[in-house]
Amino acid sequence: MKLHFMRYRKLSYWVSGICILLSILSIIFKGFNYGIDFSGGISMEITPVVADYTIDKMRHDLEKFKPELQAVDNKAILLRVGLPKGATDDQLNTRVAEIKNILGDRVEYSQVQVVGPKIGGELIRGGVLAILVSFILMAVYIWIRYRGGYAVGSFVSLVLDLILMFGFFSIMGLEFNQTAIAVILMGVGYSVNDKVVNYDRIDENIKMYHKMPMNDLIDLSVNEMLYRTISTSVSTILAMVGIYAFGGQMLQEFAIAMTFSIISGTLTSIYISNVILYHFNL
C-alpha cells in the first residue's frame, strides 16, 4: 500500500505553524521549570531509617524551607529546596546544615547536590552554548553535504525541531536541567540522521526516475523508507518505555522528552523537510 504524504503538505504547514506559535507563546509567558542545576539550590536523595517517619512528617518538619518532596523507588525520597533571591554560597551551605540538623539520624543520605546561584548561571550559559554550537555544526554539515532545496529543507526542519523541543519542556512543565540539554541535543541528532537517510533515498530516486513528478517521487522515497523509519522509531521508543517503567523517577522525564523528540523528528523529516524540497523542485 502506497501512502500519499505530499497530499497533506498544506496541512503540514498549518500544523507546524500552530505548534511553533504555541511553543513560542509558552516560552515567553510561561517560561521554563528550571531545575536545581540552573536555578541554584539543594537536592537530596534520602531514605528514612525510622519506620514511622513519613514524607508528610518530613514536609512538616521542613515547612519553613518550602521543600519539594517526591517519592522515588526503594522508599527513597527526593528532597529539593530552592534558594531565596540573592542568596550567597555561605547561606546555601548554612541551609544544608540546617536541613541535616532537622532531619537528624532519621534518614540516610544517598545523594546531596548543592548548586550555588553563580554556578547555576554558568550552567545555563554553558547549556545554551552547547546547543548553539551543535546547531551551527549540524547546519554547516547539512549545507556542505546537500545543495539548494535539500539544505534549506534540512535547515528549516532542524530549527523547527529545536523550537518544538524547547516548547515541549515549557508547555509540559518538565524540569529544565542538564539532562534536558542532553535530551535536546540527542533529539536533534536523531532528527538530522533521519533527514540525511531520507534525502539520500530521494536523491537516488531522482537519478533513476528523473521524469517522475516531484510529489510522486517523494511519496515513493518515503514509502520505500517507511519500514526502516517506523522500525527505528518504535525500537527507540520501546527503550524509552523501559526507562520510564524501570528507571525510577529521575529518568521518567528524560524518557518522556526523548519520546517526543523521536516522534517530532520523524514527522518533520517526512513532512517539513520534504515539503520544502518539493517547492524548490517545482
Side-chain angles (χ1 to χ4, degrees):
M1 180 179 67
K2 181 181 178 181
L3 300 176
H4 300 281
F5 294 98
M6 289 299 99
R7 182 180 297 173
Y8 305 102
R9 58 183 179 272
K10 293 182 179 179
L11 178 62
S12 69
Y13 280 140
W14 281 102
V15 173
S16 299
I18 292 172
C19 290
I20 290 173
L21 179 62
L22 291 175
S23 297
I24 293 175
L25 289 176
S26 180
I27 292 171
I28 293 174
F29 294 105
K30 185 178 179 182
F32 296 103
N33 176 27
Y34 288 111
I36 296 296
D37 293 357
F38 292 158
S39 62
I42 304 162
S43 177
M44 298 179 176
E45 186 174 331
I46 56 181
T47 303
V49 294
V50 177
D52 63 345
Y53 195 50
T54 63
I55 194 170
D56 290 330
K57 291 182 179 179
M58 193 178 301
R59 181 176 289 109
H60 179 267
D61 290 343
L62 300 172
E63 184 178 4
K64 69 175 182 178
F65 300 118
K66 298 180 180 179
E68 295 179 11
L69 294 168
Q70 193 172 43
V72 294
D73 291 342
N74 300 322
K75 299 181 180 180
I77 296 173
L78 183 63
L79 165 64
R80 293 178 180 176
V81 176
L83 289 176
K85 189 174 181 180
T88 64
D89 290 339
D90 289 338
Q91 289 174 317
L92 179 59
N93 293 328
T94 299
R95 177 158 293 189
V96 171
E98 289 177 348
I99 292 173
K100 287 186 174 182
N101 184 57
I102 291 173
L103 296 177
D105 57 1
R106 292 174 292 182
V107 301
E108 290 181 346
Y109 299 90
S110 304
Q111 181 181 1
V112 178
Q113 181 183 11
V114 180
V115 179
K118 292 182 180 179
I119 297 177
E122 292 174 359
L123 290 175
I124 291 177
R125 290 189 291 273
V128 172
L129 182 61
I131 292 175
L132 288 177
V133 170
S134 65
F135 176 81
I136 292 171
L137 291 176
M138 289 181 187
V140 170
Y141 166 75
I142 290 170
W143 195 264
I144 294 174
R145 181 179 177 89
Y146 295 111
R147 63 190 184 279
Y150 291 97
V152 175
S154 298
F155 182 79
V156 171
S157 57
L158 184 59
V159 172
L160 177 59
D161 288 329
L162 278 175
I163 294 174
L164 292 180
M165 282 301 301
F166 279 108
F168 182 75
F169 272 96
S170 177
I171 292 171
M172 297 298 293
L174 300 180
E175 186 173 301
F176 196 80
N177 49 25
Q178 293 185 79
T179 302
I181 299 296
V183 169
I184 293 173
L185 294 176
M186 291 171 63
V188 172
Y190 178 93
S191 180
V192 168
N193 177 72
D194 203 38
K195 290 167 177 57
V196 168
V197 173
N198 178 61
Y199 272 172
D200 281 348
R201 178 55 60 91
I202 292 175
D203 198 40
E204 291 173 1
N205 284 338
I206 286 178
K207 297 173 183 177
M208 294 176 61
Y209 310 105
H210 54 275
K211 293 184 179 180
M212 181 182 293
M214 193 61 188
N215 60 324
D216 292 334
L217 192 144
I218 291 176
D219 281 341
L220 172 65
S221 302
V222 175
N223 277 276
E224 288 177 348
M225 295 297 298
L226 193 59
Y227 178 77
R228 176 257 177 205
T229 300
I230 293 176
S231 298
T232 304
S233 299
V234 170
S235 61
T236 310
I237 290 174
L238 287 176
M240 294 303 107
V241 171
I243 291 176
Y244 182 89
F246 304 107
Q249 185 70 35
M250 300 293 289
L251 292 177
Q252 286 184 350
E253 292 192 357
F254 169 85
I256 293 171
M258 271 303 301
T259 299
F260 174 81
S261 70
I262 293 166
I263 296 173
S264 171
T266 301
L267 292 177
T268 56
S269 297
I270 292 176
Y271 281 104
I272 302 305
S273 58
N274 286 341
V275 171
I276 292 174
L277 178 64
Y278 166 80
H279 286 296
F280 262 82
N281 287 272
L282 287 179

